[in-house]
Amino acid sequence: MKNHLFTILTLMLLLNVNVVIAQEDDSSRFNLMKAPIEKAARNAVWRTDFYICTGIAYAKSAGRTTDDFMKFVADTHVNTLNSIKGKGLEPIINLANFLITSYPDGTFEIISESPSTVKYKTNRPYISYFTKGYMVGVTIDEFEKCLWGHFKLMLKSLGIDFDYHIEGDFVEAEVTLME
């Protein structure tokens, strides 16, 4: 009986030691590191643009156009702007600034402003994704048509007119409250 008790206690001790060692091994097998906020933000911006291109590529593969995908995105996301409806141009300008300056090299400059119109200029910080002329089969022209076009459609639903012009490395845009 004493031997059985000793054997059981020994086995329990060995089992506990193995569990403790296994737990230590599991946590030390990988050196998990948290990404710095700048790297995480850069990845999130790239991933969003990659998904835009993937959506355009999918639409094209299904016999649809960039315009079809752009309208789908605008119709799907327009409700995300409801909280700024009727609050003037400031939240729209802040949103545009946020979206562009989320890119590591994004620049945003207000050129002129009045109570009903704001003109601004941004660079095109996403063009580096298109060094081969395309990303997942989507050209820079298709990407920008969707990017700026869905913004235009969404703002229209808020009673704001949005016009943009791309020239060289810059986008000049104008937002105007419609009456």
Side-chain angles (χ1 to χ4, degrees):
M1 178 80 154
K2 222 179 195 185
N3 282 342
H4 287 307
L5 185 59
F6 181 72
T7 303
I8 291 172
L9 287 173
T10 303
L11 288 174
M12 292 296 284
L13 178 63
L14 287 174
L15 180 61
N16 284 334
V17 168
N18 282 335
V19 168
V20 169
I21 290 172
Q23 286 176 348
E24 287 178 11
D25 286 347
D26 282 346
S27 65
S28 64
R29 240 187 321 192
F30 300 101
N31 185 16
L32 300 178
M33 299 166 65
K34 188 170 178 127
I37 190 72
E38 294 84 13
K39 189 173 184 176
R42 202 169 32 250
N43 181 269
V45 169
W46 172 84
R47 194 170 52 234
T48 300
D49 290 346
F50 189 82
Y51 287 143
I52 291 171
C53 289
T54 302
I56 295 169
Y58 177 73
K60 290 175 15 179
S61 76
R64 301 295 186 130
T65 66
T66 301
D67 285 346
D68 293 330
F69 181 69
M70 173 183 67
K71 185 171 176 357
F72 169 77
V73 171
D75 291 346
T76 304
H77 294 163
V78 71
N79 292 333
T80 63
L81 297 182
N82 281 342
S83 66
I84 59 177
K85 190 172 190 170
K87 295 185 178 177
L89 296 177
E90 186 174 359
I92 301 303
I93 296 304
N94 278 315
L95 175 61
N97 176 58
F98 170 77
L99 293 173
I100 291 298
T101 59
S102 291
Y103 291 91
D105 299 322
T107 62
F108 187 95
E109 173 190 2
I110 294 177
I111 298 170
S112 66
E113 60 184 280
S114 74
S116 62
T117 302
V118 176
K119 292 181 183 180
Y120 65 86
K121 182 178 182 177
T122 73
N123 64 342
R124 298 166 65 201
Y126 43 77
I127 60 175
S128 63
Y129 304 150
F130 298 89
T131 56
K132 295 179 182 177
Y134 58 89
M135 180 163 64
V136 297
V138 173
T139 67
I140 184 71
D141 293 337
E142 292 170 316
F143 173 80
E144 287 181 312
K145 184 177 189 179
C146 184
L147 179 71
W148 298 108
H150 94 277
F151 197 54
K152 180 178 181 89
L153 291 173
M154 290 171 65
L155 292 180
K156 184 178 181 181
S157 75
L158 298 177
I160 297 171
D161 188 40
F162 175 76
D163 286 314
Y164 69 96
H165 173 73
I166 299 171
E167 189 170 317
D169 292 333
F170 297 96
V171 177
E172 291 187 11
E174 180 176 293
V175 290
T176 304
L177 292 172
M178 295 189 285
E179 296 188 42

